[in-house]
Amino acid sequence: MALPRKLKFYQLSADGKGYLHDVPELTLPKLARKMVDYMSGGMDSPIKSDMGGEPMTMDWTCAGMLPEVFGQFAAQKHDAIGLRFSGAYQSDDSEAVQTVEISVRGRHSEIDSGIAKRGEDTAIKVTSELSYYKLTVDAKVWLEIDVINMVYIVDGKDLYADHRTALGL
Protein backbone atom coordinates (compact mmCIF):
# COMPACT_ATOMS: atom_id res chain seq x y z
CA MET A 1 0.00 0.00 0.00
CA ALA A 2 1.40 3.41 -0.97
CA LEU A 3 1.77 6.23 1.50
CA PRO A 4 0.81 9.79 0.51
CA ARG A 5 3.39 12.17 -0.90
CA LYS A 6 4.01 15.03 1.51
CA LEU A 7 5.69 18.39 0.96
CA LYS A 8 9.25 18.08 2.30
CA PHE A 9 10.85 21.31 1.01
CA TYR A 10 9.76 24.31 -1.04
CA GLN A 11 10.82 27.68 -2.33
CA LEU A 12 8.90 30.71 -3.53
CA SER A 13 10.50 32.87 -6.21
CA ALA A 14 9.33 36.33 -7.24
CA ASP A 15 10.40 37.52 -10.69
CA GLY A 16 13.33 35.08 -10.63
CA LYS A 17 14.62 35.91 -7.12
CA GLY A 18 14.44 32.91 -4.80
CA TYR A 19 13.18 33.20 -1.24
CA LEU A 20 14.30 29.80 0.07
CA HIS A 21 14.64 30.97 3.67
CA ASP A 22 12.33 34.01 3.61
CA VAL A 23 8.84 32.53 3.10
CA PRO A 24 7.87 30.22 5.98
CA GLU A 25 4.24 29.91 4.89
CA LEU A 26 2.05 30.35 1.86
CA THR A 27 -1.45 29.47 0.75
CA LEU A 28 -1.45 28.12 -2.77
CA PRO A 29 -4.21 29.38 -5.09
CA LYS A 30 -7.65 27.92 -4.64
CA LEU A 31 -9.16 26.88 -7.96
CA ALA A 32 -12.92 27.28 -8.16
CA ARG A 33 -15.62 27.45 -10.80
CA LYS A 34 -18.73 29.64 -10.54
CA MET A 35 -21.65 27.22 -10.66
CA VAL A 36 -25.25 28.44 -10.83
CA ASP A 37 -28.49 26.49 -10.65
CA TYR A 38 -30.37 25.91 -13.89
CA MET A 39 -33.81 24.34 -14.02
CA SER A 40 -36.40 24.41 -16.76
CA GLY A 41 -39.95 23.11 -17.06
CA GLY A 42 -38.94 19.58 -18.03
CA MET A 43 -36.48 19.05 -15.20
CA ASP A 44 -37.26 17.45 -11.85
CA SER A 45 -34.37 19.23 -10.13
CA PRO A 46 -31.75 21.83 -11.02
CA ILE A 47 -28.29 21.12 -12.35
CA LYS A 48 -25.26 23.27 -11.84
CA SER A 49 -24.27 25.28 -14.90
CA ASP A 50 -20.59 26.24 -15.21
CA MET A 51 -20.29 30.00 -15.68
CA GLY A 52 -16.48 30.23 -15.64
CA GLY A 53 -13.71 30.56 -13.11
CA GLU A 54 -13.67 32.36 -9.80
CA PRO A 55 -10.90 34.86 -8.93
CA MET A 56 -7.55 33.29 -7.99
CA THR A 57 -5.37 34.58 -5.15
CA MET A 58 -2.22 33.49 -3.37
CA ASP A 59 -1.37 34.51 0.18
CA TRP A 60 2.21 34.31 1.41
CA THR A 61 4.17 35.36 4.46
CA CYS A 62 7.64 36.92 4.47
CA ALA A 63 9.80 36.29 7.52
CA GLY A 64 11.10 39.78 8.24
CA MET A 65 11.57 42.71 5.92
CA LEU A 66 11.68 42.16 2.13
CA PRO A 67 11.74 45.69 0.70
CA GLU A 68 11.47 44.48 -2.91
CA VAL A 69 7.91 43.30 -2.15
CA PHE A 70 6.97 46.92 -1.41
CA GLY A 71 8.62 47.90 -4.70
CA GLN A 72 6.13 45.61 -6.49
CA PHE A 73 3.07 47.18 -4.84
CA ALA A 74 0.51 49.07 -6.95
CA ALA A 75 1.72 47.47 -10.18
CA GLN A 76 -0.32 48.79 -13.08
CA LYS A 77 -0.46 45.59 -15.17
CA HIS A 78 -2.62 42.61 -14.17
CA ASP A 79 0.33 40.23 -14.69
CA ALA A 80 3.19 42.43 -13.52
CA ILE A 81 4.65 40.01 -10.98
CA GLY A 82 5.67 36.43 -11.61
CA LEU A 83 5.63 34.06 -8.64
CA ARG A 84 6.81 30.45 -8.74
CA PHE A 85 6.27 27.84 -6.05
CA SER A 86 8.58 24.85 -6.43
CA GLY A 87 8.07 21.96 -4.05
CA ALA A 88 9.68 18.61 -3.39
CA TYR A 89 7.13 15.97 -2.37
CA GLN A 90 8.02 12.51 -1.09
CA SER A 91 6.20 9.62 0.50
CA ASP A 92 7.68 7.75 3.44
CA ASP A 93 7.68 4.47 1.52
CA SER A 94 9.86 5.67 -1.38
CA GLU A 95 13.07 7.53 -2.05
CA ALA A 96 11.56 9.08 -5.20
CA VAL A 97 11.01 12.84 -5.06
CA GLN A 98 8.13 14.37 -6.99
CA THR A 99 8.69 17.87 -8.38
CA VAL A 100 5.69 20.21 -8.21
CA GLU A 101 5.79 23.70 -9.70
CA ILE A 102 3.02 26.28 -9.62
CA SER A 103 3.74 29.37 -11.72
CA VAL A 104 1.43 32.36 -11.41
CA ARG A 105 1.32 35.95 -12.61
CA GLY A 106 -0.55 38.81 -11.00
CA ARG A 107 -0.11 41.76 -8.69
CA HIS A 108 -0.31 42.37 -4.97
CA SER A 109 -3.58 43.72 -3.60
CA GLU A 110 -2.48 43.81 0.03
CA ILE A 111 0.71 44.00 2.05
CA ASP A 112 0.16 43.68 5.80
CA SER A 113 3.31 44.69 7.67
CA GLY A 114 1.96 43.30 10.94
CA ILE A 115 3.18 44.32 14.38
CA ALA A 116 6.63 45.80 14.97
CA LYS A 117 7.90 44.90 18.42
CA ARG A 118 11.53 44.78 19.47
CA GLY A 119 12.75 41.28 20.21
CA GLU A 120 9.73 39.61 18.59
CA ASP A 121 9.45 37.72 15.33
CA THR A 122 8.22 39.90 12.48
CA ALA A 123 6.30 38.95 9.37
CA ILE A 124 4.83 40.63 6.31
CA LYS A 125 1.72 39.05 4.80
CA VAL A 126 1.11 39.50 1.06
CA THR A 127 -2.01 38.82 -0.98
CA SER A 128 -1.48 38.45 -4.72
CA GLU A 129 -4.38 38.58 -7.20
CA LEU A 130 -3.71 36.29 -10.15
CA SER A 131 -4.56 36.31 -13.85
CA TYR A 132 -2.37 33.32 -14.80
CA TYR A 133 -1.82 29.87 -13.23
CA LYS A 134 0.12 26.80 -14.34
CA LEU A 135 0.57 23.52 -12.46
CA THR A 136 3.44 21.25 -13.55
CA VAL A 137 4.18 17.91 -11.87
CA ASP A 138 7.35 16.05 -12.84
CA ALA A 139 7.66 18.14 -16.05
CA LYS A 140 4.04 17.43 -17.15
CA VAL A 141 1.66 20.39 -17.36
CA TRP A 142 -1.62 19.38 -15.72
CA LEU A 143 -3.42 22.70 -15.69
CA GLU A 144 -2.87 26.10 -17.29
CA ILE A 145 -5.24 29.04 -16.90
CA ASP A 146 -4.56 32.29 -18.76
CA VAL A 147 -7.58 34.46 -18.00
CA ILE A 148 -6.78 37.35 -20.36
CA ASN A 149 -5.87 35.19 -23.36
CA MET A 150 -8.85 32.84 -22.85
CA VAL A 151 -6.70 29.72 -22.42
CA TYR A 152 -7.86 26.88 -20.16
CA ILE A 153 -5.82 23.71 -20.59
CA VAL A 154 -6.60 20.65 -18.45
CA ASP A 155 -4.41 17.54 -18.85
CA GLY A 156 -3.34 18.64 -22.34
CA LYS A 157 -6.80 19.57 -23.63
CA ASP A 158 -7.50 23.24 -24.38
CA LEU A 159 -11.11 23.60 -23.25
CA TYR A 160 -11.50 27.06 -24.76
CA ALA A 161 -9.95 26.44 -28.20
CA ASP A 162 -13.35 26.06 -29.91
CA HIS A 163 -14.65 29.16 -28.13
CA ARG A 164 -11.70 31.23 -29.38
CA THR A 165 -12.30 29.92 -32.89
CA ALA A 166 -16.00 30.81 -32.67
CA LEU A 167 -15.03 34.35 -31.67
CA GLY A 168 -12.49 34.63 -34.48
CA LEU A 169 -9.51 34.79 -32.12
Side-chain angles (χ1 to χ4, degrees), residues 134-159:
K134 181 166 78 170
L135 169 66
T136 306
V137 179
D138 290 334
K140 179 182 177 181
V141 176
W142 284 93
L143 182 62
E144 184 173 11
I145 303 167
D146 186 341
V147 175
I148 296 299
N149 293 306
M150 206 173 158
V151 173
Y152 208 100
I153 300 172
V154 179
D155 194 14
K157 182 176 180 186
D158 188 344
L159 303 180

PDB file of all heavy atoms in Angstrom, residues 134-159:
ATOM      1  N   LYS A 134      -0.298  28.035 -13.669  1.00  0.00           N
ATOM      2  CA  LYS A 134       0.122  26.802 -14.344  1.00  0.00           C
ATOM      3  C   LYS A 134       0.670  25.823 -13.319  1.00  0.00           C
ATOM      4  O   LYS A 134       1.550  26.162 -12.524  1.00  0.00           O
ATOM      5  CB  LYS A 134       1.184  27.087 -15.405  1.00  0.00           C
ATOM      6  CG  LYS A 134       1.614  25.811 -16.152  1.00  0.00           C
ATOM      7  CD  LYS A 134       2.399  26.093 -17.420  1.00  0.00           C
ATOM      8  CE  LYS A 134       3.816  26.447 -17.118  1.00  0.00           C
ATOM      9  NZ  LYS A 134       4.667  26.498 -18.331  1.00  0.00           N
ATOM     10  N   LEU A 135       0.130  24.594 -13.345  1.00  0.00           N
ATOM     11  CA  LEU A 135       0.572  23.519 -12.460  1.00  0.00           C
ATOM     12  C   LEU A 135       1.331  22.487 -13.286  1.00  0.00           C
ATOM     13  O   LEU A 135       0.783  21.926 -14.245  1.00  0.00           O
ATOM     14  CB  LEU A 135      -0.623  22.845 -11.781  1.00  0.00           C
ATOM     15  CG  LEU A 135      -0.327  21.539 -11.031  1.00  0.00           C
ATOM     16  CD1 LEU A 135       0.576  21.791  -9.825  1.00  0.00           C
ATOM     17  CD2 LEU A 135      -1.625  20.863 -10.612  1.00  0.00           C
ATOM     18  N   THR A 136       2.597  22.245 -12.895  1.00  0.00           N
ATOM     19  CA  THR A 136       3.441  21.250 -13.550  1.00  0.00           C
ATOM     20  C   THR A 136       3.912  20.261 -12.492  1.00  0.00           C
ATOM     21  O   THR A 136       4.408  20.665 -11.438  1.00  0.00           O
ATOM     22  CB  THR A 136       4.667  21.925 -14.205  1.00  0.00           C
ATOM     23  OG1 THR A 136       4.217  22.967 -15.073  1.00  0.00           O
ATOM     24  CG2 THR A 136       5.488  20.928 -14.993  1.00  0.00           C
ATOM     25  N   VAL A 137       3.729  18.966 -12.775  1.00  0.00           N
ATOM     26  CA  VAL A 137       4.180  17.914 -11.865  1.00  0.00           C
ATOM     27  C   VAL A 137       5.111  17.001 -12.648  1.00  0.00           C
ATOM     28  O   VAL A 137       4.710  16.433 -13.670  1.00  0.00           O
ATOM     29  CB  VAL A 137       2.996  17.118 -11.276  1.00  0.00           C
ATOM     30  CG1 VAL A 137       3.505  16.013 -10.353  1.00  0.00           C
ATOM     31  CG2 VAL A 137       2.039  18.036 -10.535  1.00  0.00           C
ATOM     32  N   ASP A 138       6.335  16.877 -12.180  1.00  0.00           N
ATOM     33  CA  ASP A 138       7.352  16.054 -12.843  1.00  0.00           C
ATOM     34  C   ASP A 138       7.410  16.351 -14.340  1.00  0.00           C
ATOM     35  O   ASP A 138       7.349  15.456 -15.179  1.00  0.00           O
ATOM     36  CB  ASP A 138       7.106  14.567 -12.594  1.00  0.00           C
ATOM     37  CG  ASP A 138       7.384  14.167 -11.152  1.00  0.00           C
ATOM     38  OD1 ASP A 138       8.201  14.850 -10.497  1.00  0.00           O
ATOM     39  OD2 ASP A 138       6.785  13.192 -10.680  1.00  0.00           O
ATOM     40  N   ALA A 139       7.505  17.623 -14.682  1.00  0.00           N
ATOM     41  CA  ALA A 139       7.663  18.142 -16.046  1.00  0.00           C
ATOM     42  C   ALA A 139       6.413  17.996 -16.920  1.00  0.00           C
ATOM     43  O   ALA A 139       6.438  18.350 -18.094  1.00  0.00           O
ATOM     44  CB  ALA A 139       8.871  17.515 -16.742  1.00  0.00           C
ATOM     45  N   LYS A 140       5.292  17.513 -16.381  1.00  0.00           N
ATOM     46  CA  LYS A 140       4.042  17.432 -17.146  1.00  0.00           C
ATOM     47  C   LYS A 140       3.111  18.556 -16.698  1.00  0.00           C
ATOM     48  O   LYS A 140       2.845  18.704 -15.505  1.00  0.00           O
ATOM     49  CB  LYS A 140       3.344  16.091 -16.955  1.00  0.00           C
ATOM     50  CG  LYS A 140       2.039  16.031 -17.723  1.00  0.00           C
ATOM     51  CD  LYS A 140       1.280  14.756 -17.532  1.00  0.00           C
ATOM     52  CE  LYS A 140      -0.040  14.862 -18.293  1.00  0.00           C
ATOM     53  NZ  LYS A 140      -0.854  13.690 -18.165  1.00  0.00           N
ATOM     54  N   VAL A 141       2.619  19.317 -17.668  1.00  0.00           N
ATOM     55  CA  VAL A 141       1.664  20.386 -17.361  1.00  0.00           C
ATOM     56  C   VAL A 141       0.285  19.764 -17.199  1.00  0.00           C
ATOM     57  O   VAL A 141      -0.248  19.156 -18.130  1.00  0.00           O
ATOM     58  CB  VAL A 141       1.655  21.465 -18.467  1.00  0.00           C
ATOM     59  CG1 VAL A 141       0.592  22.515 -18.168  1.00  0.00           C
ATOM     60  CG2 VAL A 141       3.030  22.109 -18.595  1.00  0.00           C
ATOM     61  N   TRP A 142      -0.288  19.920 -16.004  1.00  0.00           N
ATOM     62  CA  TRP A 142      -1.616  19.379 -15.722  1.00  0.00           C
ATOM     63  C   TRP A 142      -2.718  20.417 -15.911  1.00  0.00           C
ATOM     64  O   TRP A 142      -3.842  20.080 -16.273  1.00  0.00           O
ATOM     65  CB  TRP A 142      -1.666  18.830 -14.296  1.00  0.00           C
ATOM     66  CG  TRP A 142      -0.984  17.522 -14.184  1.00  0.00           C
ATOM     67  CD1 TRP A 142       0.324  17.310 -13.831  1.00  0.00           C
ATOM     68  CD2 TRP A 142      -1.532  16.247 -14.460  1.00  0.00           C
ATOM     69  NE1 TRP A 142       0.608  15.965 -13.874  1.00  0.00           N
ATOM     70  CE2 TRP A 142      -0.520  15.286 -14.251  1.00  0.00           C
ATOM     71  CE3 TRP A 142      -2.790  15.812 -14.867  1.00  0.00           C
ATOM     72  CZ2 TRP A 142      -0.724  13.927 -14.432  1.00  0.00           C
ATOM     73  CZ3 TRP A 142      -2.999  14.451 -15.029  1.00  0.00           C
ATOM     74  CH2 TRP A 142      -1.971  13.523 -14.828  1.00  0.00           C
ATOM     75  N   LEU A 143      -2.396  21.669 -15.629  1.00  0.00           N
ATOM     76  CA  LEU A 143      -3.424  22.705 -15.693  1.00  0.00           C
ATOM     77  C   LEU A 143      -2.765  24.035 -16.015  1.00  0.00           C
ATOM     78  O   LEU A 143      -1.737  24.377 -15.431  1.00  0.00           O
ATOM     79  CB  LEU A 143      -4.140  22.797 -14.336  1.00  0.00           C
ATOM     80  CG  LEU A 143      -5.289  23.773 -14.187  1.00  0.00           C
ATOM     81  CD1 LEU A 143      -6.438  23.424 -15.123  1.00  0.00           C
ATOM     82  CD2 LEU A 143      -5.791  23.780 -12.762  1.00  0.00           C
ATOM     83  N   GLU A 144      -3.351  24.762 -16.961  1.00  0.00           N
ATOM     84  CA  GLU A 144      -2.871  26.104 -17.291  1.00  0.00           C
ATOM     85  C   GLU A 144      -4.081  26.995 -17.529  1.00  0.00           C
ATOM     86  O   GLU A 144      -4.946  26.668 -18.359  1.00  0.00           O
ATOM     87  CB  GLU A 144      -1.973  26.084 -18.526  1.00  0.00           C
ATOM     88  CG  GLU A 144      -1.391  27.448 -18.840  1.00  0.00           C
ATOM     89  CD  GLU A 144      -0.366  27.415 -19.969  1.00  0.00           C
ATOM     90  OE1 GLU A 144      -0.239  26.385 -20.652  1.00  0.00           O
ATOM     91  OE2 GLU A 144       0.310  28.452 -20.150  1.00  0.00           O
ATOM     92  N   ILE A 145      -4.136  28.093 -16.795  1.00  0.00           N
ATOM     93  CA  ILE A 145      -5.240  29.045 -16.899  1.00  0.00           C
ATOM     94  C   ILE A 145      -4.647  30.413 -17.197  1.00  0.00           C
ATOM     95  O   ILE A 145      -3.895  30.952 -16.392  1.00  0.00           O
ATOM     96  CB  ILE A 145      -6.061  29.112 -15.587  1.00  0.00           C
ATOM     97  CG1 ILE A 145      -6.600  27.731 -15.211  1.00  0.00           C
ATOM     98  CG2 ILE A 145      -7.191  30.136 -15.714  1.00  0.00           C
ATOM     99  CD1 ILE A 145      -7.143  27.657 -13.788  1.00  0.00           C
ATOM    100  N   ASP A 146      -4.982  30.946 -18.360  1.00  0.00           N
ATOM    101  CA  ASP A 146      -4.559  32.286 -18.761  1.00  0.00           C
ATOM    102  C   ASP A 146      -5.839  33.070 -18.996  1.00  0.00           C
ATOM    103  O   ASP A 146      -6.450  32.986 -20.063  1.00  0.00           O
ATOM    104  CB  ASP A 146      -3.694  32.215 -20.020  1.00  0.00           C
ATOM    105  CG  ASP A 146      -3.104  33.562 -20.421  1.00  0.00           C
ATOM    106  OD1 ASP A 146      -3.623  34.599 -19.965  1.00  0.00           O
ATOM    107  OD2 ASP A 146      -2.146  33.562 -21.194  1.00  0.00           O
ATOM    108  N   VAL A 147      -6.278  33.801 -17.980  1.00  0.00           N
ATOM    109  CA  VAL A 147      -7.582  34.457 -17.999  1.00  0.00           C
ATOM    110  C   VAL A 147      -7.702  35.446 -19.167  1.00  0.00           C
ATOM    111  O   VAL A 147      -8.681  35.423 -19.912  1.00  0.00           O
ATOM    112  CB  VAL A 147      -7.856  35.168 -16.649  1.00  0.00           C
ATOM    113  CG1 VAL A 147      -9.151  35.953 -16.700  1.00  0.00           C
ATOM    114  CG2 VAL A 147      -7.884  34.154 -15.511  1.00  0.00           C
ATOM    115  N   ILE A 148      -6.716  36.300 -19.345  1.00  0.00           N
ATOM    116  CA  ILE A 148      -6.783  37.349 -20.360  1.00  0.00           C
ATOM    117  C   ILE A 148      -6.777  36.788 -21.779  1.00  0.00           C
ATOM    118  O   ILE A 148      -7.486  37.274 -22.651  1.00  0.00           O
ATOM    119  CB  ILE A 148      -5.628  38.358 -20.168  1.00  0.00           C
ATOM    120  CG1 ILE A 148      -5.773  39.076 -18.835  1.00  0.00           C
ATOM    121  CG2 ILE A 148      -5.556  39.352 -21.311  1.00  0.00           C
ATOM    122  CD1 ILE A 148      -7.038  39.887 -18.665  1.00  0.00           C
ATOM    123  N   ASN A 149      -5.986  35.750 -22.018  1.00  0.00           N
ATOM    124  CA  ASN A 149      -5.873  35.188 -23.363  1.00  0.00           C
ATOM    125  C   ASN A 149      -6.850  34.050 -23.622  1.00  0.00           C
ATOM    126  O   ASN A 149      -6.764  33.368 -24.642  1.00  0.00           O
ATOM    127  CB  ASN A 149      -4.431  34.737 -23.625  1.00  0.00           C
ATOM    128  CG  ASN A 149      -3.510  35.925 -23.686  1.00  0.00           C
ATOM    129  OD1 ASN A 149      -3.735  36.857 -24.436  1.00  0.00           O
ATOM    130  ND2 ASN A 149      -2.474  35.911 -22.862  1.00  0.00           N
ATOM    131  N   MET A 150      -7.784  33.823 -22.693  1.00  0.00           N
ATOM    132  CA  MET A 150      -8.851  32.842 -22.847  1.00  0.00           C
ATOM    133  C   MET A 150      -8.300  31.437 -23.111  1.00  0.00           C
ATOM    134  O   MET A 150      -8.747  30.725 -24.000  1.00  0.00           O
ATOM    135  CB  MET A 150      -9.809  33.273 -23.964  1.00  0.00           C
ATOM    136  CG  MET A 150     -11.197  32.745 -23.826  1.00  0.00           C
ATOM    137  SD  MET A 150     -12.227  33.505 -25.096  1.00  0.00           S
ATOM    138  CE  MET A 150     -13.516  32.300 -25.141  1.00  0.00           C
ATOM    139  N   VAL A 151      -7.300  31.052 -22.316  1.00  0.00           N
ATOM    140  CA  VAL A 151      -6.700  29.725 -22.423  1.00  0.00           C
ATOM    141  C   VAL A 151      -7.022  28.966 -21.146  1.00  0.00           C
ATOM    142  O   VAL A 151      -6.835  29.482 -20.043  1.00  0.00           O
ATOM    143  CB  VAL A 151      -5.174  29.822 -22.619  1.00  0.00           C
ATOM    144  CG1 VAL A 151      -4.520  28.447 -22.549  1.00  0.00           C
ATOM    145  CG2 VAL A 151      -4.849  30.517 -23.931  1.00  0.00           C
ATOM    146  N   TYR A 152      -7.527  27.737 -21.299  1.00  0.00           N
ATOM    147  CA  TYR A 152      -7.857  26.883 -20.160  1.00  0.00           C
ATOM    148  C   TYR A 152      -7.520  25.457 -20.562  1.00  0.00           C
ATOM    149  O   TYR A 152      -8.300  24.774 -21.215  1.00  0.00           O
ATOM    150  CB  TYR A 152      -9.344  27.012 -19.809  1.00  0.00           C
ATOM    151  CG  TYR A 152      -9.654  26.748 -18.364  1.00  0.00           C
ATOM    152  CD1 TYR A 152      -9.852  27.802 -17.480  1.00  0.00           C
ATOM    153  CD2 TYR A 152      -9.748  25.454 -17.866  1.00  0.00           C
ATOM    154  CE1 TYR A 152     -10.137  27.571 -16.150  1.00  0.00           C
ATOM    155  CE2 TYR A 152     -10.027  25.212 -16.537  1.00  0.00           C
ATOM    156  CZ  TYR A 152     -10.225  26.277 -15.689  1.00  0.00           C
ATOM    157  OH  TYR A 152     -10.502  26.050 -14.352  1.00  0.00           O
ATOM    158  N   ILE A 153      -6.309  25.022 -20.199  1.00  0.00           N
ATOM    159  CA  ILE A 153      -5.821  23.707 -20.593  1.00  0.00           C
ATOM    160  C   ILE A 153      -5.838  22.787 -19.379  1.00  0.00           C
ATOM    161  O   ILE A 153      -5.258  23.107 -18.345  1.00  0.00           O
ATOM    162  CB  ILE A 153      -4.399  23.797 -21.186  1.00  0.00           C
ATOM    163  CG1 ILE A 153      -4.406  24.701 -22.413  1.00  0.00           C
ATOM    164  CG2 ILE A 153      -3.867  22.403 -21.520  1.00  0.00           C
ATOM    165  CD1 ILE A 153      -3.041  25.024 -22.964  1.00  0.00           C
ATOM    166  N   VAL A 154      -6.518  21.651 -19.513  1.00  0.00           N
ATOM    167  CA  VAL A 154      -6.599  20.655 -18.451  1.00  0.00           C
ATOM    168  C   VAL A 154      -6.084  19.334 -19.019  1.00  0.00           C
ATOM    169  O   VAL A 154      -6.651  18.821 -19.993  1.00  0.00           O
ATOM    170  CB  VAL A 154      -8.046  20.484 -17.930  1.00  0.00           C
ATOM    171  CG1 VAL A 154      -8.091  19.429 -16.837  1.00  0.00           C
ATOM    172  CG2 VAL A 154      -8.598  21.805 -17.421  1.00  0.00           C
ATOM    173  N   ASP A 155      -5.010  18.818 -18.433  1.00  0.00           N
ATOM    174  CA  ASP A 155      -4.409  17.544 -18.852  1.00  0.00           C
ATOM    175  C   ASP A 155      -4.201  17.483 -20.369  1.00  0.00           C
ATOM    176  O   ASP A 155      -4.524  16.509 -21.026  1.00  0.00           O
ATOM    177  CB  ASP A 155      -5.263  16.362 -18.375  1.00  0.00           C
ATOM    178  CG  ASP A 155      -4.540  15.028 -18.483  1.00  0.00           C
ATOM    179  OD1 ASP A 155      -3.301  15.017 -18.664  1.00  0.00           O
ATOM    180  OD2 ASP A 155      -5.215  13.984 -18.408  1.00  0.00           O
ATOM    181  N   GLY A 156      -3.686  18.586 -20.923  1.00  0.00           N
ATOM    182  CA  GLY A 156      -3.341  18.641 -22.341  1.00  0.00           C
ATOM    183  C   GLY A 156      -4.457  19.051 -23.277  1.00  0.00           C
ATOM    184  O   GLY A 156      -4.220  19.265 -24.457  1.00  0.00           O
ATOM    185  N   LYS A 157      -5.668  19.187 -22.769  1.00  0.00           N
ATOM    186  CA  LYS A 157      -6.795  19.570 -23.629  1.00  0.00           C
ATOM    187  C   LYS A 157      -7.164  21.029 -23.386  1.00  0.00           C
ATOM    188  O   LYS A 157      -7.472  21.425 -22.269  1.00  0.00           O
ATOM    189  CB  LYS A 157      -8.011  18.682 -23.364  1.00  0.00           C
ATOM    190  CG  LYS A 157      -9.171  19.011 -24.274  1.00  0.00           C
ATOM    191  CD  LYS A 157     -10.339  18.094 -24.087  1.00  0.00           C
ATOM    192  CE  LYS A 157     -11.443  18.516 -25.049  1.00  0.00           C
ATOM    193  NZ  LYS A 157     -12.663  17.774 -24.827  1.00  0.00           N
ATOM    194  N   ASP A 158      -7.140  21.823 -24.462  1.00  0.00           N
ATOM    195  CA  ASP A 158      -7.502  23.241 -24.376  1.00  0.00           C
ATOM    196  C   ASP A 158      -9.022  23.357 -24.459  1.00  0.00           C
ATOM    197  O   ASP A 158      -9.613  23.249 -25.537  1.00  0.00           O
ATOM    198  CB  ASP A 158      -6.823  24.025 -25.500  1.00  0.00           C
ATOM    199  CG  ASP A 158      -6.998  25.524 -25.365  1.00  0.00           C
ATOM    200  OD1 ASP A 158      -7.872  25.972 -24.592  1.00  0.00           O
ATOM    201  OD2 ASP A 158      -6.251  26.255 -26.034  1.00  0.00           O
ATOM    202  N   LEU A 159      -9.647  23.572 -23.328  1.00  0.00           N
ATOM    203  CA  LEU A 159     -11.110  23.596 -23.254  1.00  0.00           C
ATOM    204  C   LEU A 159     -11.734  24.803 -23.943  1.00  0.00           C
ATOM    205  O   LEU A 159     -12.919  24.788 -24.262  1.00  0.00           O
ATOM    206  CB  LEU A 159     -11.562  23.548 -21.790  1.00  0.00           C
ATOM    207  CG  LEU A 159     -11.061  22.357 -20.966  1.00  0.00           C
ATOM    208  CD1 LEU A 159     -11.592  22.448 -19.550  1.00  0.00           C
ATOM    209  CD2 LEU A 159     -11.440  21.042 -21.608  1.00  0.00           C
TER     210      LEU A 159
END
